[in-house]
Amino acid sequence: MNKHQQLEQYIARHPKSVGKVVFFDASRHNLLPLDFTSANAELTPGIISSTQHFSEWVFKKLKENKCKYGIGGYFEHRTLYSGSALFNTTAETRNLHLGVDIWGDAETTVYNPIAGKVHSFKDNNNKGDYGPTIILEHDLDGLKLYSLYGHLSYESLMGLHVGMPMKLGEPVGHFGDAAENGNWPPHLHFQLMFDMEGLEGDYPGACRPSEKEHYQQNIADPDLILRFPASNII
């Protein structure tokens, strides 16, 4: 049994041990899938290159569709990274997105979905990077799992220390605004890893296509934890 299967079995055996990442009321909230691939002709270079215009586009889509959050991105081939020096350090662009993004209002509260402890944290303050980032460590009946929360507010890092216990449902932090979250529209990058590979406070949120097989082994599907109802995704 591989680690992905172990995680699925743990969740099946302990459904009450997994909680929310963001507040979501299925009786009145909907979710909008957001496409950042080349198939989305609405996202012009002019929109993507401007944080203000990009933010306006995201929140206009949410308002038009009466959705609380925009979601998506797990192993999505993202063409919007093509103009960023952060993702173009070699001839092969890091354009496969490894987590799920939840797009919503700045200051949205982020919650710990599984009891654990603080593994590491860091302000990755390059343009286009995560900005304030927190990584939690979870022990699931012997299976080690790490959860990453990127694009948080500066305040989210205050008072943390490595090894600090984090209860199920405890606030982790809040969505940061563009001035502090790496120059992005407000959102959360949520990602799951089985191995941190020696890194602290950071882990790649995108990979090169040639690296896909490696990361598919180490990156778990965030939807296993998020568990948003399919009926609320429009």
Side-chain angles (χ1 to χ4, degrees):
M1 183 186 304
N2 62 38
K3 291 181 178 180
H4 297 271
Q5 294 168 327
Q6 290 180 56
L7 176 57
E8 290 180 20
Q9 286 204 1
Y10 177 87
I11 293 171
R13 291 195 306 267
H14 307 282
K16 294 183 179 180
S17 295
V18 180
K20 62 182 179 294
V21 174
V22 292
F23 173 69
F24 180 78
D25 183 348
S27 69
R28 58 191 178 95
H29 294 152
N30 286 318
L31 303 162
L32 180 68
L34 292 178
D35 179 359
F36 297 127
T37 72
S38 58
N40 188 348
E42 288 185 43
L43 277 179
T44 64
I47 291 175
I48 292 171
S49 63
S50 166
T51 303
Q52 178 182 342
H53 292 160
F54 192 8
S55 296
E56 289 172 353
W57 182 87
V58 169
F59 286 99
K60 180 182 178 184
K61 300 296 287 186
L62 294 180
K63 184 177 181 180
E64 288 176 346
N65 290 278
K66 299 179 181 179
C67 289
K68 185 169 181 62
Y69 303 112
I71 56 166
Y74 184 55
F75 276 99
E76 181 179 55
H77 184 236
R78 290 194 163 176
T79 50
L80 76 136
Y81 293 150
S82 60
S84 172
L86 181 69
F87 298 95
N88 287 290
T89 55
T90 67
E92 188 182 11
T93 303
R94 293 193 299 120
N95 55 21
L96 291 180
H97 191 252
L98 301 178
V100 164
D101 286 335
I102 303 173
W103 305 82
D105 294 332
E107 294 303 316
T108 295
T109 302
V110 178
Y111 299 93
N112 176 27
I114 311 175
K117 62 183 179 180
V118 174
H119 172 270
S120 53
F121 53 94
K122 180 181 177 182
D123 182 12
N124 298 288
N125 62 352
N126 302 302
K127 184 177 181 179
D129 211 329
Y130 286 133
T133 310
I134 297 172
I135 297 171
L136 303 182
E137 180 179 332
H138 315 274
D139 186 344
L140 311 181
D141 291 345
L143 174 67
K144 197 65 66 72
L145 183 71
Y146 301 89
S147 56
L148 181 151
Y149 310 82
H151 308 297
L152 300 175
S153 65
Y154 291 142
E155 187 179 2
S156 302
L157 302 184
M158 296 178 63
L160 296 180
H161 63 265
V162 173
M164 176 178 173
M166 293 290 292
K167 297 178 182 178
L168 169 66
E170 185 173 355
V172 174
H174 299 85
F175 290 18
D177 61 30
E180 56 191 349
N181 75 357
N183 298 101
W184 293 95
H187 73 290
L188 172 72
H189 177 99
F190 178 65
Q191 186 169 307
L192 302 173
M193 297 82 60
F194 295 115
D195 187 345
M196 283 298 297
E197 302 183 300
L199 298 174
E200 296 183 353
D202 192 13
Y203 189 91
C207 74
R208 301 174 182 89
S210 63
E211 301 169 324
K212 182 177 181 179
E213 184 175 350
H214 167 75
Y215 284 103
Q216 282 180 320
Q217 297 297 316
N218 193 42
I219 304 294
D221 185 349
D223 287 335
L224 291 172
I225 302 297
L226 293 172
R227 300 187 293 183
F228 287 131
S231 59
N232 293 81
I233 300 174
I234 67 170

